[in-house]
């Protein structure tokens, strides 16, 4: 089952689809009509129950009270969003089983799974809080109103729809805010954030409900099917899915979430002439005896289950009747006011259970279950924790459960078991705004080390070059202050926060000259190979390297001894990588200058080190915000968006004639035309989109247009590898490879039995081992993948692209050309021609062998890949159908600021786009969710030290010998007096055998935050 959430933009569309008579004719025959039922706590507040009536639904869509027609919420815009469509889809075998058996219990099992999940989601319903017209976050309300509509067929292909049981729960755009005591628009952002959990939960609930009906279940890669209905049987009734899969394969789309968005691109209008009785002969006409037998076996299992259920009910009824009769006699004899025996029996028989007049449509009630946590439940949660905390510092409990349900121990773990296993897991927990956040001690300790090291390094060093006079007259006042800030800093770590387009290149070159003039060695670094070896080297830092290279290269570490490490794009530093970098820098006696922007994309791995050091480590930062890249109206738009003024920002786009609302098919033609027009004028251009699905659709349109203009010629098929970007947890789990023959493992580190760079094909899983076939000379043969060292290999999927003369191609992995030139991940080149021996010859003469498979098209990039790039014109493709779930404020800021001269933006709904890019996607750090924990631990430490003093020494209280101290006694006392702490060394730098020349001999201890702020103020004075 797949849960999809679609934002509705049209009242008329909602009315026509869900409640108008014309919408039902395509689906239901007489006796099968399902008009919809009200749900949600807000429905009760509005006096709604039972069937959805047209008048009430229409009024709610139009922001009116369903009974009196008065305005419901205070804000009433002409283009107001009427609601949200929560679409639940059954596995195909369930649809076939229901279509064949018409057993109402399958429908009830489906509806019950949805009802339970919608109730969970409702708890996260919220409303936007505004103070003086300024948005100030969301407040949970915990209530909404929705109409539940069940449909039984899919969109038709060639005029004939397949059986497809699915539900639309249409959430109206209103919720009751108890704080303001009024109805307001509903916000669903938290629900989007927890979508994986809700999708996994509804799937698990349906599976358990069907098993309770006596049906056998077979697990699949992404869910389950009913046993007996084979894959080829399902594919024969999946014309719609087949169309989407063909489109996805053609465009290189493999991500399930992106595939789910393709429905809008391949949609065919519903038929209004065929009813279900007309469709059934068409569905079953071609059944083979084997398939009919499989469907009849399901029917028999359901009948057997029904008979068993009736037998149990008769036994239970007889026992209850006997008990009831005795109780009735007792009550009747004691009080005449209780009525007749018959009345008492009726009351007792109905007490505590739901009485329904319509068995086929009434939800069932879930029976209470005893939770037994199995090893499968615990393993699923443990693997989910390893997977999530590689890329997140903190997650919600729902996100953790969602990952455990989605990817690990599928079919072996249970929903209740996973919930209990999460509750028992050794996690740090904090609740805020109705959501429970969790992190691990390892992540927390990692962040605290970063904070301590940064605080400990304040005022410890000599200024690098305080007498430097600015040489570059082009620098503005902000840039000059930033240069001076770095050169005069006495902190071990200092920073510059440079927003997109502020002229960072000019500024950094001035910093470089000042540092080197002060007789300091400078090493330039960046988190990514493209930023280091492509961008920085072109900007004058000839030997720039990646942070990862410094962490692993002994020769580079020797060169960095006592140097100043300048780290560009530091906003992409994860806390794990920053932790290792600071530890190494301390050992090398090197200082750090970090240049970053917390307003752009976050690191792929967990944490945001630059933000953490700035906010909690008290890293002194010079802000550079004055935009240099854009001019005029373009510059005003960037400034308005950066300040959060969405209304003015989008107004500026319209005044610039830079935003276009059109269909996907229209967009494909218009964007390609505009892109080629810019290229033909000799300008540089780039298309940026949030998702690969959007990029691939745009790329296909551009290449078709280029072929029409004869700008692309020839063409050859080129085998490529697409990095699946699995985490260590995914790469180390053998179950993750099951059913995925043909994947390619590339060895990226030194592993016994493999060569670095070797590529091996995954051929199967046996006894917990992943077997791969190697083809490289002496290393050929069948081997086991080193699952215990997941960091030393990557997993890729094969693909094929057409490469023509004139194509723009992007390098997707580090490597070398046939003539030994280095290729960096992210480099973009133009194909000059295809040589007679099949090699690609690039515009600079470099030649690519067919063995180099890390290639893709370079016309359109995701905003992650585009960060750091600058072109004359940027074209942003961002539609509701393909990119809603990946859109947010940081992503949009990166996408729209890549251009120097111009911007054009294409979308299918300006209103939905504005809403999506107003969203600030939560990515909390452990320090944020555990606010106050650091201060509590510091207070406990001080109490312990006071107790130690009273007992006659630190050793008496702790049993641990006091750490060595550095610096003279007077210096230690002076530092302790200023910082309000004891001069106890806890920093790794102080264990060096020789004092570091760049650091003052003051014992680096964790000072109180308020004392640091006082010292910073003193330094400023």
């Amino acid at each position: 089952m797949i849960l999809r959430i679609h934002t509705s933009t049209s009242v008329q569309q909602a009315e026509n689809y869900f409640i108008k008579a014309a919408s039902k004719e395509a689906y239901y025959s007489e006796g099968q009509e399902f008009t919809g039922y009200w749900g949600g706590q807000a429905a009760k507040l509005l006096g709604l129950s039972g069937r959805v009536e047209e008048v009430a639904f229409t009024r709610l869509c139009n922001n009116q009270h369903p009974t009196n027609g008065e305005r419901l919420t205070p804000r009433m815009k002409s283009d107001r969003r009427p609601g949200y469509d929560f679409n639940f889809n059954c596995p195909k075998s369930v649809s076939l089983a229901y279509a064949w058996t018409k057993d109402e219990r399958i429908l009830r099992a489906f509806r019950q799974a949805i009802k339970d999940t919608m109730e969970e989601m409702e708890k996260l319903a919220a409303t936007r809080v505004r103070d003086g017209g300024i948005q100030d976050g969301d407040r949970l309300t915990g209530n909404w109103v929705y109409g539940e509509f069940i449909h039984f067929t899919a969109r038709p292909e060639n005029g004939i729809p397949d059986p497809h049981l699915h539900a639309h729960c249409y959430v109206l755009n209103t919720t009751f805010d108890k704080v303001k005591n009024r109805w307001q628009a509903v916000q669903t952002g938290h629900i989007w954030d927890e979508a994986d959990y809700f999708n996994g939960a509804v799937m698990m609930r349906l599976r358990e409900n069907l098993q309770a009906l006596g049906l056998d279940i077979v697990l699949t890669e992404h869910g389950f099917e009913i046993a007996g209905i084979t894959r080829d049987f399902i594919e024969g009734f999946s014309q719609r899915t087949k169309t989407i899969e063909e489109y996805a394969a053609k465009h290189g789309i493999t991500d399930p979430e992106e595939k789910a968005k393709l429905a809008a691109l391949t949609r065919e209008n519903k038929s209004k002439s065929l009813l279900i009785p007309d469709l059934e002969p068409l569905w079953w006409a071609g059944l083979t005896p084997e398939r009919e037998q499989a469907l009849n076996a399901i029917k028999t299992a359901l009948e057997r289950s029904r008979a068993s259920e009736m037998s149990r009910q008769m036994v239970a009824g007889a026992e209850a009747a006997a008990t009831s009769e005795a109780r009735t006699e007792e009550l009747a004899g004691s009080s005449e006011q209780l009525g007749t025996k018959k009345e008492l029996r009726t009351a007792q028989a109905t007490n505590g259970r739901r009485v329904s007049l319509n068995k086929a449509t009434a939800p069932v009630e879930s029976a209470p279950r005893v939770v037994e946590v199995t090893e499968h439940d615990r393993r699923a949660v443990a693997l989910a924790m390893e997977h999530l905390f590689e890329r997140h510092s903190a997650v919600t409990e729902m996100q953790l459960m969602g990952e455990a349900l989605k990817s690990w121990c599928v079919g072996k773990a249970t929903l209740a078991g996973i919930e209990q296993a999460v509750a028992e897991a050794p996690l740090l927990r904090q609740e805020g705004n109705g959501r429970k956040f969790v992190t691990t001690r390892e992540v927390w300790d990692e962040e605290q080390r970063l904070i301590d090291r940064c605080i400990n390094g304040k005022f410890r060093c000599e200024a690098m070059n305080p007498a430097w006079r600015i040489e570059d007259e082009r620098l503005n006042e902000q840039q000059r202050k930033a240069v001076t800030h770095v050169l005069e800093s006495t902190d071990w770590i200092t920073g510059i926060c440079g927003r997109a387009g502020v002229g960072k290149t000019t500024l950094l070159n001035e910093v470089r000259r000042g540092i080197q003039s002060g007789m300091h060695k400078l090493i330039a670094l960046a988190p990514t190979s493209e930023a280091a070896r492509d961008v920085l080297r072109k900007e004058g830092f000839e030997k720039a390297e990646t942070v990862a290279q410094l962490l692993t290269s002994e020769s580079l570490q020797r060169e960095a001894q006592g140097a100043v490490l300048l780290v560009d794009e530091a906003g992409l530093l994860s806390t794990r990588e920053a932790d290792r970098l600071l530890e190494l820098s301390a050992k090398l006696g090197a200082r750090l200058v970090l240049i970053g922007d917390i307003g752009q994309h976050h690191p792929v791995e967990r944490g945001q080190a630059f933000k953490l050091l700035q906010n909690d480590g008290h890293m002194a930062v010079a802000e550079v915000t004055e935009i240099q890249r854009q001019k005029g109206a373009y510059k005003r738009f960037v400034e308005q968006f950066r300040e959060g003024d969405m209304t003015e920002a989008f107004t500026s786009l319209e005044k610039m004639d830079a935003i276009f609302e059109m269909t996907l098919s229209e967009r494909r033609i218009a964007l390609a035309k505009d892109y080629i027009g810019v290229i033909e004028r000799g300008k540089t251009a780039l298309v940026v989109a949030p998702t690969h699905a959007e990029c691939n659709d745009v790329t296909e349109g551009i290449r078709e247009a280029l072929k029409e203009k004869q700008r692309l010629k020839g063409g050859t098929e080129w085998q490529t590898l697409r990095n699946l970007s699995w985490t260590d947890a995914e790469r180390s789990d053998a179950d993750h490879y099951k059913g995925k023959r043909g994947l390619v493992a590339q060895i990226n580190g030194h592993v016994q039995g493999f060569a670095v760079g070797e590529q091996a094909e995954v051929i199967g899983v046996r006894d917990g081992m992943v077997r791969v076939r190697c083809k490289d000379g002496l290393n050929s043969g069948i081997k086991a993948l080193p699952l215990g060292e997941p960091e030393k290999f990557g997993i890729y999927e094969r693909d094929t692209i057409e490469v023509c003369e004139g194509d723009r191609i992007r390098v997707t992995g580090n490597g070398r050309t046939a003539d030994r030139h280095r290729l960096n991940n992210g480099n973009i080149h133009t194909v000059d021609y295809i040589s007679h021996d099949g090699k690609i010859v690039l515009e600079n003469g470099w030649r690519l062998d067919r063995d180099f498979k890390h290639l893709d098209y370079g016309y359109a990039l995701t905003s992650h890949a585009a960060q750091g790039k600058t072109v004359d014109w940027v074209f942003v493709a961002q539609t509701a159908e393909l990119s809603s779930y990946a859109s947010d404020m940081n992503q949009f800021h990166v996408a729209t600021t890549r251009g120097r001269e111009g911007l054009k933006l294409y979308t299918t709904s300006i209103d939905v786009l504005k809403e999506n890019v107003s969203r600030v996607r939560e990515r909390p750090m452990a320090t944020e969710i555990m606010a106050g924990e650091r201060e509590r631990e510091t207070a406990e430490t001080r109490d312990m030290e006071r107790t130690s003093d009273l007992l006659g020494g630190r050793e008496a209280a702790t049993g641990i010998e006091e750490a060595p101290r550095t610096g003279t006694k007077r210096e230690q006392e002076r530092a302790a007096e200023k910082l309000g702490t004891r001069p106890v060394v806890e920093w790794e730098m102080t264990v060096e055998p020789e004092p570091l020349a760049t650091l003052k001999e003051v014992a680096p201890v964790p000072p109180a935050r308020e004392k640091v702020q006082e010292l910073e103020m003193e330094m400023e004075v």
Side-chain angles (χ1 to χ4, degrees), residues 726-791:
W726 285 3
T727 61
D728 285 355
E730 290 171 313
R731 291 194 296 272
S732 63
D733 180 41
D735 287 345
H736 217 68
Y737 298 81
K738 289 182 178 178
K740 298 176 182 176
R741 289 176 61 94
L743 294 180
V744 175
Q746 178 169 299
I747 307 300
N748 299 320
H750 294 286
V751 179
Q752 186 174 2
F754 294 89
V756 175
E758 182 178 357
Q759 294 174 357
E761 180 185 5
V762 174
I763 59 174
V765 179
R766 180 186 297 173
D767 300 327
M769 294 186 298
V770 177
R771 301 166 68 239
V772 295
R773 179 182 290 112
C774 303
K775 298 180 180 179
D776 288 352
L778 297 176
N779 288 326
S780 62
I782 306 298
K783 301 179 183 179
L785 200 60
L787 301 184
E789 301 176 277
E791 71 283 357

Side-chain angles (χ1 to χ4, degrees), residues 296-478:
N296 283 328
I298 292 172
K299 190 172 184 179
T300 300
L302 289 168
E303 290 170 349
R304 199 163 41 237
S305 170
R306 185 187 295 276
S308 178
E309 181 182 345
M310 291 177 64
S311 176
R312 286 195 301 270
Q313 289 177 351
M314 289 177 63
V315 172
E319 294 175 350
T323 304
S324 176
E325 185 73 24
R327 180 62 176 158
T328 301
E329 293 287 351
E330 178 185 346
L331 292 174
S334 61
S335 175
E336 295 180 0
Q337 295 178 354
L338 295 179
T340 66
K341 295 180 181 179
K342 181 178 180 181
E343 290 169 339
L344 287 170
R345 281 196 296 269
T346 302
Q348 291 170 358
T350 59
N351 184 37
R353 65 179 176 85
R354 176 171 301 179
V355 179
S356 174
L357 300 178
N358 188 339
K359 288 177 59 182
T361 58
V364 297
E365 293 297 330
S366 301
R369 299 173 183 173
V370 178
V371 178
E372 295 183 4
V373 183
T374 67
E375 287 306 310
H376 297 302
D377 299 323
R378 293 191 178 91
R379 183 168 184 268
V381 171
L383 289 169
M385 287 171 57
E386 183 182 350
H387 170 75
L388 284 176
F389 290 119
E390 179 176 324
R391 294 183 177 170
H392 301 271
S393 298
V395 298
T396 65
E397 281 192 348
M398 279 188 171
Q399 287 167 340
L400 178 54
M401 289 188 288
E403 180 59 37
L405 288 169
K406 180 179 72 173
S407 303
W408 312 99
C409 302
V410 176
K412 301 174 184 176
T414 65
L415 177 58
I418 284 175
E419 288 176 348
Q420 187 61 32
V422 168
E424 296 173 358
L427 295 163
L428 302 179
R429 305 168 192 271
Q430 190 67 264
E431 187 168 353
N433 198 21
R435 304 173 74 197
K436 295 179 181 178
F437 288 87
V438 295
T439 187
T440 67
R441 190 77 204 187
E442 177 189 359
V443 176
W444 161 261
D445 288 343
E446 178 181 270
E447 291 184 5
Q448 300 318 297
R449 285 195 299 271
L450 285 174
I451 294 170
D452 286 341
R453 282 177 169 140
C454 190
I455 291 176
N456 294 342
K458 295 190 73 65
F459 320 123
R460 300 295 194 254
C461 306
E462 301 292 344
M464 285 181 275
N465 194 351
W468 177 252
R469 293 179 179 272
I470 303 294
E471 292 183 348
D472 195 330
E473 297 297 328
R474 296 173 298 171
L475 294 182
N476 61 32
E477 188 63 24
Q478 278 190 338

Side-chain angles (χ1 to χ4, degrees), residues 262 552 964 1014:
L262 296 179
T552 56
E1014 290 175 11

Side-chain angles (χ1 to χ4, degrees), residues 161-272:
D162 287 325
H164 179 43
L165 177 59
H166 63 286
H168 296 270
C169 291
Y170 192 84
V171 177
L172 282 306
N173 190 12
T174 190
T175 184
F176 189 75
D177 184 2
K178 295 179 182 178
V179 175
K180 291 195 173 183
N181 194 34
R182 70 185 188 194
W183 293 95
Q184 298 200 153
V186 68
Q187 295 296 319
T188 59
H190 292 329
I191 297 168
W192 283 80
D193 294 337
E194 311 289 6
D196 280 347
Y197 165 73
F198 293 124
N199 188 59
V202 72
M203 176 73 83
M204 185 76 79
R205 286 175 174 132
L206 176 60
R207 193 187 86 198
E208 293 174 356
N209 290 347
L210 293 174
Q211 287 174 319
L213 296 179
L215 297 178
D216 292 331
I217 298 300
V218 174
L219 302 174
T220 63
E221 182 179 352
H222 298 295
F224 71 88
E225 300 290 353
I226 297 176
I229 299 184
T230 60
R231 172 50 50 188
D232 59 334
F233 189 178
I234 289 171
E235 289 175 353
F237 280 89
S238 303
Q239 299 179 69
R240 179 95 176 108
T241 301
K242 183 180 179 182
T243 300
I244 293 173
E245 289 291 342
E246 289 174 350
Y247 185 94
K250 183 178 179 182
H251 292 80
I253 300 169
T254 58
D255 185 84
E257 290 184 1
E258 293 191 3
K259 284 184 182 179
K261 298 289 182 179
L262 296 179
L265 293 175
T266 57
R267 178 168 291 174
E268 184 177 329
N269 289 333
K270 295 174 182 174
S271 170
K272 294 185 179 180

Side-chain angles (χ1 to χ4, degrees), residues 845-899:
W846 294 359
R847 304 167 72 87
L848 301 183
D849 266 328
R850 287 196 172 272
D851 288 341
F852 188 79
K853 299 177 181 179
H854 298 294
L855 290 179
D856 201 351
Y857 296 119
Y859 301 99
L861 305 180
T862 63
S863 50
H864 280 276
Q867 183 163 316
K869 293 187 181 298
T870 303
V871 292
D872 295 327
W873 279 80
V874 62
F875 300 89
V876 179
Q878 197 151 339
T879 61
E881 290 82 357
L882 297 178
S883 295
S884 280
Y885 69 94
S887 299
D888 61 37
M889 186 174 287
N890 286 357
Q891 169 274 319
F892 194 68
H893 177 61
V894 172
T896 56
T897 55
R898 298 306 93 202

